[in-house]
Amino acid sequence: MDLRVGSPVVAADPRVLIASANLRDLGGLATIDGQRVRAGRLFRSGHLSELDRAEAAILGGLGLRTIIDLRRPSEVADFPTPDLDGVDRLWMSVSPEDSEFAVAANLLFGNQPEQVDIATMLEGYFRNTVTNRLDGYRPVFEAATDPDRQPLLFHCMGGKDRTGFVAGVLLRLLGVGQEEVMADYLLTNEILGDWMARRADQARQRIAQRSGVGPDQVDERHLEGIRAMLYTRPSFLQASFDAVTDKFGTWETFRRDGLGIDDARFSAFFDAVVA
């Protein structure tokens, strides 16, 4: 299904390659100093287990050398990534089963979900990714910054949170401005907007049935947390960016001390993906 239908902005964006998988090229984004990220080097996406034949052909035509899978074991088992000839698949789970997202999902099915501030919990998830969970992400960035592994694709389930964090960090390190990086992060809401709206409506129907009321009588506060889980929000990724500056001061220090990427490695990466 082409989720770009009804979204002319997304349909006209050449970086969006497979809308149903939220797969897009990071190439084409401008850096602050006037250069651009090269097309065909770095890709981001959601899971790839349900591609149709045409979509699989697009994926196969990317010439990938590496796919990094950021998902938890249960997600990998339920939605396996397809095997591609000549492509090295790296499984690097970065989010524990008891992460803030998992806890938030469980709380949404409690008796009074409107009393749980899911958005604040998810902001905590993004902040803690920098302050408490970098150990899990260092191997991801080590692989992603290796020119010999490119073209490279990294993905999670929806391609928005774990993937959004990795994409945001890589783009900021390459010198893409924060406004452009945030726009790329929020583009998921347009690409998957129809799917997200359907999921929110399904949640409304379930709540109504459980509560014995009509769908139009469901308290909107019940749905606020569900929407926070479904949609990307500026405050989420911003929480990670703020944590970078609060803890490390600069992105260069974060790159060196936080991610362990030295100057020589980063220079080779930069030369490979920016022109």
Side-chain angles (χ1 to χ4, degrees):
M1 181 187 305
D2 189 349
L3 297 179
R4 289 172 292 183
V5 173
S7 179
V9 174
V10 174
D13 191 334
R15 297 190 306 115
V16 181
L17 303 177
I18 303 177
S20 64
N22 197 13
L23 192 159
R24 55 193 191 264
D25 193 336
L26 292 185
L29 295 175
T31 65
I32 294 172
D33 62 3
Q35 297 178 286
R36 287 192 179 274
V37 180
R38 296 178 189 267
R41 304 297 294 179
L42 297 171
F43 301 90
R44 56 174 292 177
S45 80
H47 76 85
L48 303 167
S49 65
E50 297 177 333
L51 302 181
D52 62 26
R53 182 174 299 179
E55 292 167 337
I58 293 172
L59 178 65
L62 297 180
L64 295 175
R65 291 184 180 179
T66 310
I67 293 177
I68 299 177
D69 191 334
L70 304 171
R71 298 175 298 164
R72 297 187 295 274
S74 58
E75 296 170 321
V76 174
D78 291 341
F79 299 92
T81 298
D83 288 321
L84 295 173
D85 290 341
V87 179
D88 190 13
R89 292 170 52 195
L90 305 178
W91 178 42
M92 299 179 176
S93 180
V94 295
S95 182
E97 297 283 358
D98 61 349
S99 72
E100 292 88 342
F101 265 89
V103 172
N106 289 332
L107 288 174
L108 283 175
F109 293 97
N111 292 327
Q112 294 179 306
E114 71 277 5
Q115 295 183 8
V116 181
D117 190 345
I118 298 297
T120 297
M121 291 183 65
L122 300 187
E123 289 167 9
Y125 172 88
F126 277 85
R127 181 175 57 254
N128 290 333
T129 295
V130 173
T131 59
N132 300 326
R133 284 195 286 264
L134 273 187
D135 285 348
Y137 277 92
R138 287 190 188 100
V140 175
F141 287 105
E142 181 179 358
T145 56
D146 182 354
D148 291 336
R149 287 199 169 277
Q150 299 169 8
L152 177 144
L153 180 148
F154 52 93
H155 78 94
C156 55
M157 280 300 295
K160 67 184 186 71
D161 300 308
R162 290 162 287 187
T163 294
F165 172 76
V166 173
V169 168
L170 288 174
L171 291 172
R172 290 295 285 134
L173 291 176
L174 291 170
V176 178
Q178 183 164 311
E179 185 175 341
E180 287 74 19
V181 173
M182 190 65 72
D184 178 70
Y185 172 66
L186 297 175
L187 184 59
T188 289
N189 291 339
E190 292 194 60
I191 297 173
L192 300 181
D194 290 347
W195 176 85
M196 291 169 167
R198 288 196 299 271
R199 290 295 299 271
D201 185 63
Q202 289 167 1
R204 179 189 292 275
Q205 299 290 337
R206 288 196 301 270
I207 294 170
Q209 185 176 27
R210 184 181 64 197
S211 304
V213 300
D216 59 342
Q217 296 175 300
V218 172
D219 190 329
E220 287 298 316
R221 293 177 299 174
H222 281 66
L223 297 172
E224 176 58 26
I226 291 168
R227 294 192 182 103
M229 294 282 291
L230 287 171
Y231 291 84
T232 57
R233 295 187 178 184
S235 63
F236 295 168
L237 189 59
Q238 188 63 51
S240 288
F241 290 171
D242 289 345
V244 167
T245 54
D246 289 346
K247 184 171 182 178
F248 297 94
T250 68
W251 280 93
E252 185 176 6
T253 302
F254 173 63
R255 185 256 298 171
R256 290 174 177 168
D257 298 344
L259 299 179
I261 302 171
D262 63 28
D263 293 349
R265 183 180 189 86
F266 182 72
S267 179
F269 169 62
F270 184 91
D271 290 345
V273 300
V274 174

